[in-house]
Amino acid sequence: MAANLTTRSQETADVLGPLMENMTWPEVVEAAEQGYVPILVVGATEQHGPHLPLGSDWILPLEIAVGVAKRLKVLVPPPLMYGFKSKALSGGGQRFPGTASLRGSTLTALVHDVVSELARSGFRHLVVMNWHMENVNFIWEGIDLAREDGGLRDATVMSMDDPERAFDMREIETWMFDDGFPGWDVEHASTVETSLMLAVRPELVRNDLIADDAAEDHPWYDIVPEPERHVAKSGVLANASQASVEKGERYFEMIVTEVAAAIEREFGTERHG
Amino acid sequence: MAANLTTRSQETADVLGPLMENMTWPEVVEAAEQGYVPILVVGATEQHGPHLPLGSDWILPLEIAVGVAKRLKVLVPPPLMYGFKSKALSGGGQRFPGTASLRGSTLTALVHDVVSELARSGFRHLVVMNWHMENVNFIWEGIDLAREDGGLRDATVMSMDDPERAFDMREIETWMFDDGFPGWDVEHASTVETSLMLAVRPELVRNDLIADDAAEDHPWYDIVPEPERHVAKSGVLANASQASVEKGERYFEMIVTEVAAAIEREFGTERHG
Amino acid sequence: MAANLTTRSQETADVLGPLMENMTWPEVVEAAEQGYVPILVVGATEQHGPHLPLGSDWILPLEIAVGVAKRLKVLVPPPLMYGFKSKALSGGGQRFPGTASLRGSTLTALVHDVVSELARSGFRHLVVMNWHMENVNFIWEGIDLAREDGGLRDATVMSMDDPERAFDMREIETWMFDDGFPGWDVEHASTVETSLMLAVRPELVRNDLIADDAAEDHPWYDIVPEPERHVAKSGVLANASQASVEKGERYFEMIVTEVAAAIEREFGTERHG
Amino acid sequence: MAANLTTRSQETADVLGPLMENMTWPEVVEAAEQGYVPILVVGATEQHGPHLPLGSDWILPLEIAVGVAKRLKVLVPPPLMYGFKSKALSGGGQRFPGTASLRGSTLTALVHDVVSELARSGFRHLVVMNWHMENVNFIWEGIDLAREDGGLRDATVMSMDDPERAFDMREIETWMFDDGFPGWDVEHASTVETSLMLAVRPELVRNDLIADDAAEDHPWYDIVPEPERHVAKSGVLANASQASVEKGERYFEMIVTEVAAAIEREFGTERHG
Amino acid sequence: MAANLTTRSQETADVLGPLMENMTWPEVVEAAEQGYVPILVVGATEQHGPHLPLGSDWILPLEIAVGVAKRLKVLVPPPLMYGFKSKALSGGGQRFPGTASLRGSTLTALVHDVVSELARSGFRHLVVMNWHMENVNFIWEGIDLAREDGGLRDATVMSMDDPERAFDMREIETWMFDDGFPGWDVEHASTVETSLMLAVRPELVRNDLIADDAAEDHPWYDIVPEPERHVAKSGVLANASQASVEKGERYFEMIVTEVAAAIEREFGTERHG
Amino acid sequence: MAANLTTRSQETADVLGPLMENMTWPEVVEAAEQGYVPILVVGATEQHGPHLPLGSDWILPLEIAVGVAKRLKVLVPPPLMYGFKSKALSGGGQRFPGTASLRGSTLTALVHDVVSELARSGFRHLVVMNWHMENVNFIWEGIDLAREDGGLRDATVMSMDDPERAFDMREIETWMFDDGFPGWDVEHASTVETSLMLAVRPELVRNDLIADDAAEDHPWYDIVPEPERHVAKSGVLANASQASVEKGERYFEMIVTEVAAAIEREFGTERHG
C-alpha cells in the first residue's frame, strides 16, 4: 500500500502497510488527495468458544480490509474493537467473561465521531465494514447522524453491515456446510469463523479445543434476561468441527474480491499501479 | 378478551377488546393478577407505496396482537407507531414525504420507558413485537437497559424482532412468491404486506394502485447519503401485484398461531376459558 | 376530510377520515401542497379513576382534532399516546398500575423527531395539541430544538400546551361546576373529562363506577416521593359525579370551535369547500 | 441563621447569614444533624424590561429564602441562576440580549445533580423553590430522577414550582391590580415583580424607566418561532407602573410567611430558639 | 465599571458594579456595542477545610474578575458555582458533606449553553475563567461544542483553564512557600487559597481553625473508589498555616494584572477612560 | 505472560503475549482467578509531526503496558485508540488531517462501558493508563460513573491520567533536555515522544524528517477557535531533534519500572514466577 505516496519508499510502504496508525499527517494529506479510501472496521470483543480468541470479530474484518488494501488504494484506520452487547442466540450473550461490550448509544457516538473526523481529514469516500450482527443499525445510525449534522461534508459512506449478505448461500452451502447452512446467527465461532481464522491467523486458533456445540433451545425470538437454555455452554453456537483451512482460504478470497469490487464500482477507487 | 375480569360484562369485553387504552386502572390490576401478558407493538410511520397506508408497519402487528388476544390472555398497550429511520433498500429511505421516523436513541428510550412502566404495573411477562426491520437492536437495547437499571423488576420480556423468522421460507416460497422469495428487505409494500393488508384491513388498500416496482440497483451494502438508484420510485420494493387476500389470510393465520404458541410455551399464558 | 385529494373519492375519504396513518405517501404530498395542517396530539397513558379508560388523555384531544378536521383542512398524524410522568396532585402519581409514562428527555426527543419529520414531509404549518399538564414545557422544548437544529425548515408550529387556557373560567364555572371551579390540576378524571368522554366516547365510560374523590391533602407544592395523603385513592381528583353528556357536548363544541378558529386565524388554513 | 452552630459565634452568624457558600464543611455536618433544611433556589437570567435587572428571577426567590431563614432552621445553597428558555408570551422570548438560558436537559441534569449532592451531604429534607414559569416540570423531573437512581437516599424534597399558587388571587387582586389580575404569565417585569424588587432590592430598580407595555397579541397558544406580535417591545408584559413599595412589602411578607409555614408543617423544621 | 453606559450615572455604576445580573437588557445591548467582554467564572461548591468556606473556588475567581473589571471594559455574568466532582488527591473527594458537584456532562452542557447565550447577546469576545482543577477539559469541551453547532456565532472565547499556569512557580516559590512548592494539586485550602481569601474576603476565613494537614499517601495516580489514605482528614491538603494577608494581596495583584493583560492583548479590550 | 494459564503452553504464551484480544474466554476466567490485572490503555489518533505516526499516543502506552506484563501478572485489553479532541497548544488542534478525535461524552461513555465489562469479567483490580493530556478527567469520569451505577462490582480501578507525573522533572531535565524542560504540554512529538518511539518502535519513525518547531505564540490560555499563531505548522511543538534512542530507552525503563511498582504496591499483583 501507499507505494505512491511521495514521502515513502516502497520498502517503507511494505513495512508500514495500509494501517493509518502508522502514517504521519502529511501522508494522510497525500493519501486523501490521491483518492485513497479508508475502511473503518467495526467488530467486538466477544467470547468465541474455547478455540477462537476474543478479538475474532475485528481480527477477521481487519484481515479482509488489509487484503483489499493490497489491491486497491485503501487505508485502514484504527478499528473499533468493542461492539454492541452480545445476544445469547447469536453470540452467547453478556454473561461470558471476556466479552466486553458497549451500550448502543456509545457505539453510535463512536461511529458518528470517527466517521466525521475521517471526512474532515479530506477523504471523500469511506467504507465502514462490520463483522458483529449485534452492531447492525447502531453503525448506520452513527453514519447518518454524521450526515445530518454536516459531519460528512460531501463524503459518501458505504456501510457494509454484513459482508456475507453479498453471497448466495445456496452456492456456499454446497461446499461449506456438511449438514446445510444453519443460519448466520449461529455461525458464531463455528464453521465459517473457525475456517477463516485457520486461514488467516492460524496461530490464534487452539486446534485441540475445536468442538461442536449449540444452545439447548434456539427459537426465533429473544428473551430478556436470557434463560440458560438459550446459551451454548462452550460459546460455540454450531458445528465448529467442520472448519478447515481450505474453506477459510476460499471464503476469504471470495470476500476480499467482493469487497474490493464493490468499492471499485461505487467509488471508482483505483487499483495499485 | 378480558372476559374474566370481574369488572367487565362479556358484552363490555366484546366492545372494548384487548386494548389497554380502553381499560381502567383497576382492570389492569386484575389483569396482571390473572397473568395477562401485554404485547407491545413497535412499528413505523413509513411510506408503503401508492397502495398501502403509512401506518402499515404498526397496523399489521397490531392486528396480529389482537388476533393472539382472541386466543390467549393477552393485552395490547398503545403501540409505538413511530420507528427508526427508513433505509433506502428496505423501506425507501428518509426522502419520502409521509415517512416520519425517530432517531435510534429516541426509539430505545421509548422502549426502555414503556417496558419499565408495564413491569411496574405488575405484569410478569411481556412481549415486544416488531414489524420494521430498521428497529432491530434498538428495541432489544431498550429492553436490556430496563433490565440493567432494575426497571424490569422480575419481569421477563420476549423480544420478537422479526416474527417472520419463525418460518421456513422454503415452504412459504412455494405458495407466496411466483418467482421465488426476493428477501425480507425488499418485502416492503410488496407481496406479503399487501396480502396481509388485503386480508385484515382491505378498506385501507388502494386496489387500483397496486403495481410492482424495484430500485434500479439493490446491492448488499448501504450508501449514505443514498443514491437515486437505490430508491424505488413508487416506494414499492418488489412485486406487490402477486398479492392476494388468500395469501394474506393464510399467512396471517400462520403468524397468529405461531406467536400465540410461543407465548403459551414460554410464559405458560392461559387460553381463554 | 381529504375530500379534495385527487386520489380519493368522497366515499373513500369518509371511510379513512383525517388520520395520516390511513393515507399513502402520494396523498401526503398532495395534502401538503394543498395547505393541510397536521395536528399532532400529545397525551398520556394514565389512570383516570375506576370509570374512565387509561387512554383518556389522548382519546380526548384526538377526538377534538378529528372534530377540527371536519371543518378545516387538517390531518391527524399518529398521536403520542405516552406522556411525561404523572404527578400525585394532578394525575394521581406514578404508583397507579396502568399509568405508563416517559422520562422528560424521551418525550422531548419524541416531539423533536416527529415534528421535524412532519416538516420534512412538506407541511408548512403544524399544530401540537397537548392534554396532559405534566407534558408542559417538554413539548415546547421538543419543538424549539427542532427549530434550533434546522429541523423545522421554514415551518411554523403552534403549540397548544393547554387548550383550556382559551376560555374564561368564570363563564364556564357558571354551568360546569356546582361548587365552583376547583382548578385544572384536580380536574383529572373529574367533571370536565368525564363529561367529555360521556359526550364523545360513551362506550368507554363505566357509568356505574363514577364517584367523587379527592386527596386527603392538596397543597400548592409537590413532595417527592409523594406522601399517601397527596394521592386520591380512586384516582379521581375531584367531583366526577357532576359530569353529564350535555356539559360534555357543550364543552367539546367550544373547544373544537376555538381550536379551529386559532388555526384558521394564524395559518390561514382553509375550510372544506 | 446558624446561630446554634457550635462553631460560630452569634456575631459571625450575623455576618455570614444562611448562605451555604459561606459555610465550612464541618458546619454543614452540624447543620444537617440539627435538622436544617436547604432551600435550593432556581431562577433565570432573563430580560425584565428596562427597569429591572436580568437577575430578578433568582434575586427574588433568594430574598424570600433568606427571609425564611430568619425564621426557621433553613440554609440557602448557591442558587441555580440560569433557567430554561424564555417564552415570548411569559418572558419575552429568546431574542432579547441579556437573556441567557439553558436547554431543558441541562436544567434537569443540574437539579438532578445538586439535589443528589445535598442529600449526600446529610440533609433529610430539601426544598427547591422556583421563580421562572418556564422551569416548571424540568425541575420536578430532576428531583424525580434523583429519587429513581437512589440519589435522594431517604431525603424528602418539597418542590415549589410556583410559590404564587399558594394564594387566592381573588383576594390579592383587590389590592394588587388596579384593572384586575392579568394572569401570571404576563406578570413578568410587571406589577408584582416590580413591587417586590422595590421592596427588597430598590437599588436595582431603574425607577425612571418603569413603564407599561404588552405584546400586540397574547393568545392562549405559543407559536415557534415566535412572531413579532407576540413580543412586548420593552420586555414588560403588563402594567409595571402599578407597582409600589407597599405592595411589594405586603406580598413579600405573605410569601415568606407561607413558605415558612409549609416547611414547618411538612418537615417539622424548627424555628430559631 | 459600566461608567460609560449612557443609561447609568457614575453613582449607579458604582453601586451596581460589573455584575451582569444587576444590568438591564438595554444596558447589555449597549455594553456589547461598546466592546465589553464578559468573564464567565466557573468554580465549585467544595469543602475547603475547617477554615475556608465551601464557595472558595468561585468566590476567588469572581473577585479576580471584578478586579479586572475595575481596569478594563469587562462584565461578570452569574458564575457557575457548581463544578465537576472533587477528586481525593486534589480536593478531598466526594465524601465530604458540603461538597456539591456535577457530572461532567452536566458541566459541559452548562458551559455550552451559557457561552452560546452570551454570544447570542452580542458579545464578540468572551472569557471563561476556571478555578477548580477537576473542571479542566469539561469546560473547554462546552466551549468547543458551542463553536461546532454555530452557537458562538463569530465570537472568540478565551478559556483560562488555570490562571496559575501564567506564572513561573520558581519565582513565586521564593516568597510563597517556606518548604518549596508542593504542586497545584495539593494547593487546595492551603497556602495560596488561604492567603487569597485572607486578602479579599477575610470575613469568610475562620482564622482560629487554620491548620496544616495532608493525606497519608499522595501518589501520582488516582484510585476509584478512593482509599482512606488518599483523603486528608480535615480537607486541607497541605500547609495552610503558611498563609498570610500579604502573600494573598501580592498574588491577587499578580493574577488580576496578568488576566487583564491577556484580555487586553488578545481582544483589544479597552481600559476604562 | 500468562505462562501459568493451564490452557497455554509456554510456547503459545510467548506467541500470544499479554493481549486479551488473543485470549479465549476460558483463559480470561483463569486469569481473573489468578489475580491478573488488565491495563486498559487510552490514547488518541493524532498528528505527531512529519516524523511520528498518528498512533503514537496509544502505541507508546501499549508498549509500556506490554513491558509491565513481562514482569507482573498483567493483561492488555484492546486499547482505546481514539481520544478527546486535540488542543492547539498541546497537540496541534483539530485542523490537522489524520487527527481523529471523540467528543468528551463519547470517550467517557467508552471508558464507562469497557471498565464495567472488565469488572463483570471477574477482574478485581484494573488499571487505566492514559497518554493524551486532553483525555484527562473524561477518563476518570467514565470510571466514576461505572462506580456510581454499580458497574465496578467490587473492583478497584487505578487511573493513571499521566504516568509522567510520577517523576521529578528536575532530575529528568538534567539528561533529557538540552535547554531545560519546556513543559509537558509542548512535549508533543518532541524530545520525549520521539526518543521513546526511537527506542521501542524505530521502524515507525521517519528519521530524516525530525525537526524542531513551535507555535508562534504559546500563552497560558486557550482560544476557541484557535488562532493560526497558536498552531505549530509542522505539528511538532518543541525540540524533537534532541531525541535519541538512549534517552528513549532510559525513560522507557523508568516508566515501566514505576508503573509496575505502583501496581504491585497497590494491588499486590504478583510477579511472574
Side-chain angles (χ1 to χ4, degrees), chain C residues 31-237:
Chain C
E33 281 168 0
Q34 288 197 22
Y36 272 78
V37 172
I39 300 182
L40 178 66
V41 160
V42 192
T45 294
E46 190 187 27
Q47 75 81 17
H48 271 72
H51 66 292
L52 292 184
L54 299 172
S56 299
D57 269 6
W58 58 263
I59 291 171
L60 285 175
L62 194 62
E63 292 291 335
I64 294 168
V66 169
V68 173
K70 286 179 183 152
R71 307 186 186 185
L72 296 185
K73 289 189 167 180
V74 151
L75 295 176
V76 186
L80 306 187
M81 301 184 291
Y82 296 95
F84 183 59
K85 300 167 189 170
S86 176
K87 287 182 178 178
L89 296 170
S90 53
Q94 283 293 114
R95 295 190 187 156
F96 281 91
T99 294
S101 310
L102 306 180
R103 283 166 290 170
S105 54
T106 307
L107 177 57
T108 293
L110 200 50
V111 173
H112 182 168
D113 290 357
V114 176
V115 159
S116 299
E117 289 286 86
L118 293 172
R120 187 186 53 70
S121 287
F123 297 104
R124 294 288 302 275
H125 297 296
L126 303 170
V127 175
V128 182
M129 184 162 65
N130 176 44
W131 196 270
H132 179 62
M133 278 182 67
E134 287 89 338
N135 288 341
V136 167
N137 287 331
F138 293 116
I139 293 176
W140 189 89
E141 170 71 331
I143 301 168
D144 197 60
L145 291 175
R147 178 192 61 74
E148 250 182 54
D149 70 10
L152 290 190
R153 277 77 179 172
D154 48 4
T156 303
V157 185
M158 194 185 305
S159 175
M160 297 178 166
D161 252 12
D162 184 0
E164 305 180 310
R165 268 173 46 204
F167 305 121
D168 179 354
M169 286 315 298
R170 278 170 296 198
E171 191 280 325
I172 291 174
E173 203 169 5
T174 59
W175 54 267
M176 178 72 86
F177 304 104
D178 301 342
D179 311 312
F181 176 49
W184 280 120
D185 44 356
V186 294
E187 262 309 313
H188 177 90
S190 300
T191 316
V192 175
E193 292 190 331
T194 305
S195 296
L196 284 170
M197 288 296 283
L198 284 170
V200 299
R201 296 293 297 273
E203 76 281 11
L204 296 181
V205 184
R206 281 64 161 173
N207 288 292
D208 51 333
L209 297 173
I210 299 177
D212 299 347
D213 198 2
E216 187 184 329
D217 192 12
H218 193 279
W220 53 271
Y221 42 79
D222 300 297
I223 290 183
V224 180
E226 74 266 34
E228 284 299 316
R229 67 186 183 282
H230 285 192
V231 181
K233 294 285 172 297
S234 70
V236 174
L237 272 55

Side-chain angles (χ1 to χ4, degrees), chain D residues 2-262:
Chain D
N4 297 332
L5 292 184
T6 55
T7 49
R8 280 187 176 184
S9 65
Q10 179 63 50
E11 188 178 65
T12 306
D14 290 347
V15 171
L16 300 184
L19 302 185
M20 248 184 82
E21 66 209 44
N22 292 341
M23 297 174 70
T24 65
W25 76 263
E27 291 173 13
V28 169
V29 171
E30 191 183 351
E33 282 167 0
Q34 288 197 25
Y36 272 79
V37 172
I39 301 182
L40 178 66
V41 160
V42 193
T45 294
E46 189 188 27
Q47 76 79 17
H48 271 71
H51 65 293
L52 292 184
L54 299 172
S56 300
D57 268 7
W58 59 263
I59 291 171
L60 286 175
L62 194 62
E63 292 291 334
I64 294 168
V66 169
V68 173
K70 287 181 182 150
R71 307 187 185 185
L72 297 185
K73 289 190 167 179
V74 151
L75 295 176
V76 186
L80 306 187
M81 301 184 291
Y82 296 94
F84 183 59
K85 300 168 189 170
S86 177
K87 287 182 178 177
L89 296 170
S90 53
Q94 282 293 113
R95 296 190 187 156
F96 280 91
T99 294
S101 310
L102 307 179
R103 282 167 291 169
S105 54
T106 307
L107 177 58
T108 293
L110 199 50
V111 172
H112 182 168
D113 290 357
V114 175
V115 159
S116 299
E117 288 286 86
L118 293 171
R120 186 186 53 71
S121 286
F123 296 104
R124 294 288 302 275
H125 298 295
L126 303 170
V127 175
V128 183
M129 185 163 64
N130 176 43
W131 197 270
H132 178 62
M133 279 182 64
E134 286 90 339
N135 288 340
V136 167
N137 287 330
F138 293 115
I139 293 176
W140 188 89
E141 169 71 331
I143 300 168
D144 196 61
L145 292 175
R147 178 193 61 74
E148 249 182 54
D149 70 8
L152 291 189
R153 276 80 179 169
D154 49 4
T156 303
V157 184
M158 194 185 305
S159 176
M160 297 177 167
D161 252 13
D162 184 1
E164 304 179 311
R165 266 173 46 204
F167 304 121
D168 179 353
M169 285 316 297
R170 278 168 297 198
E171 191 279 325
I172 291 175
E173 202 170 7
T174 60
W175 53 268
M176 179 71 84
F177 304 103
D178 300 342
D179 309 312
F181 176 48
W184 280 119
D185 44 355
V186 295
E187 262 310 312
H188 177 89
S190 300
T191 316
V192 175
E193 293 190 330
T194 304
S195 297
L196 283 169
M197 288 295 283
L198 284 170
V200 299
R201 295 294 297 275
E203 76 280 12
L204 295 181
V205 184
R206 281 64 159 175
N207 288 292
D208 50 333
L209 297 174
I210 299 177
D212 300 346
D213 198 2
E216 187 184 328
D217 191 14
H218 194 279
W220 53 272
Y221 43 78
D222 299 297
I223 290 183
V224 180
E226 75 266 31
E228 285 298 317
R229 68 186 183 282
H230 287 193
V231 182
K233 294 287 172 295
S234 71
V236 174
L237 272 54
N239 301 332
S241 67
Q242 295 178 22
S244 74
V245 175
E246 295 69 28
K247 289 179 180 178
E249 287 174 344
R250 181 169 173 180
Y251 196 66
F252 184 76
E253 172 64 21
M254 281 175 63
I255 292 188
V256 169
T257 301
E258 178 58 29
V259 170

Side-chain angles (χ1 to χ4, degrees), chain A residues 84-89 94 102-105 108 133-138 140-141 143-145 147-148 152 155-167 170 173 185 217-227 229-230 258-259 262-263 265-267, chain B residues 84-89 94 102-105 108 133-138 140-141 143-145 147-148 152 155-167 170 173 185 217-227 229-230 258-259 262-263 265-267:
Chain A
F84 184 60
K85 299 167 188 170
S86 176
K87 287 182 175 177
L89 296 170
Q94 283 292 113
L102 307 180
R103 284 167 291 170
S105 53
T108 293
M133 277 181 67
E134 286 91 339
N135 288 342
V136 167
N137 286 331
F138 294 115
W140 189 89
E141 169 71 331
I143 300 168
D144 197 61
L145 291 175
R147 177 192 61 73
E148 248 181 56
L152 292 190
T156 303
V157 184
M158 194 185 305
S159 175
M160 296 178 167
D161 253 11
D162 184 0
E164 305 179 310
R165 266 174 45 204
F167 304 122
R170 278 170 296 199
E173 203 170 7
D185 44 356
D217 192 13
H218 194 279
W220 53 272
Y221 43 78
D222 300 296
I223 290 183
V224 180
E226 74 267 34
R229 67 186 183 282
H230 286 192
E258 178 57 30
V259 170
I263 296 174
R265 181 171 61 241
E266 296 287 348
F267 293 158
Chain B
F84 183 59
K85 299 169 189 170
S86 177
K87 286 183 178 176
L89 296 170
Q94 283 293 111
L102 306 180
R103 284 167 290 170
S105 53
T108 293
M133 279 181 65
E134 286 89 340
N135 288 340
V136 167
N137 286 331
F138 293 115
W140 189 88
E141 170 71 331
I143 300 168
D144 197 61
L145 291 175
R147 178 193 61 73
E148 249 182 55
L152 291 189
T156 304
V157 184
M158 193 185 306
S159 175
M160 298 178 165
D161 252 12
D162 184 359
E164 304 179 310
R165 266 174 43 204
F167 305 121
R170 278 169 297 198
E173 202 171 8
D185 43 356
D217 191 14
H218 194 280
W220 53 272
Y221 43 78
D222 299 298
I223 291 183
V224 180
E226 74 266 33
R229 67 186 183 283
H230 285 193
E258 178 57 30
V259 170
I263 296 173
R265 181 174 60 242
E266 296 288 348
F267 293 158

Side-chain angles (χ1 to χ4, degrees), chain E residues 84-85 87 104 134 136-137 141 144 148 156-157 159 165 220-224 229 258 265-266, chain F residues 84-85 87 104 134 136-137 141 144 148 156-157 159 165 220-224 229 258 265-266:
Chain E
F84 184 60
K85 301 167 187 170
K87 288 182 176 177
E134 287 89 340
V136 167
N137 287 332
E141 170 71 331
D144 197 60
E148 250 182 54
T156 303
V157 184
S159 175
R165 266 173 45 206
W220 53 272
Y221 43 78
D222 300 296
I223 291 183
V224 180
R229 68 186 182 282
E258 178 58 29
R265 182 172 61 242
E266 296 287 347
Chain F
F84 184 59
K85 300 167 190 170
K87 287 183 177 177
E134 286 90 339
V136 167
N137 286 331
E141 169 72 330
D144 197 61
E148 249 182 54
T156 304
V157 184
S159 175
R165 268 174 44 205
W220 53 273
Y221 43 78
D222 300 297
I223 290 184
V224 179
R229 68 186 182 281
E258 178 57 29
R265 181 173 62 242
E266 296 287 348

Side-chain angles (χ1 to χ4, degrees), chain B residues 92-227:
Chain B
Q94 283 293 111
R95 295 189 187 157
F96 280 91
T99 294
S101 310
L102 306 180
R103 284 167 290 170
S105 53
T106 307
L107 177 58
T108 293
L110 199 51
V111 172
H112 182 170
D113 289 359
V114 175
V115 159
S116 300
E117 287 286 87
L118 293 171
R120 187 186 53 70
S121 287
F123 296 104
R124 294 288 304 276
H125 297 295
L126 302 170
V127 176
V128 182
M129 184 164 64
N130 176 43
W131 197 271
H132 178 62
M133 279 181 65
E134 286 89 340
N135 288 340
V136 167
N137 286 331
F138 293 115
I139 293 176
W140 189 88
E141 170 71 331
I143 300 168
D144 197 61
L145 291 175
R147 178 193 61 73
E148 249 182 55
D149 70 9
L152 291 189
R153 277 78 179 171
D154 48 4
T156 304
V157 184
M158 193 185 306
S159 175
M160 298 178 165
D161 252 12
D162 184 359
E164 304 179 310
R165 266 174 43 204
F167 305 121
D168 180 353
M169 285 316 297
R170 278 169 297 198
E171 192 278 325
I172 291 174
E173 202 171 8
T174 59
W175 53 268
M176 179 72 84
F177 304 103
D178 302 341
D179 309 311
F181 177 48
W184 281 119
D185 43 356
V186 294
E187 261 311 311
H188 177 88
S190 300
T191 315
V192 176
E193 292 191 330
T194 306
S195 297
L196 284 170
M197 288 295 283
L198 284 170
V200 299
R201 296 293 298 273
E203 76 281 10
L204 296 181
V205 184
R206 281 65 160 173
N207 288 292
D208 50 332
L209 297 174
I210 299 176
D212 299 348
D213 198 2
E216 187 185 329
D217 191 14
H218 194 280
W220 53 272
Y221 43 78
D222 299 298
I223 291 183
V224 180
E226 74 266 33

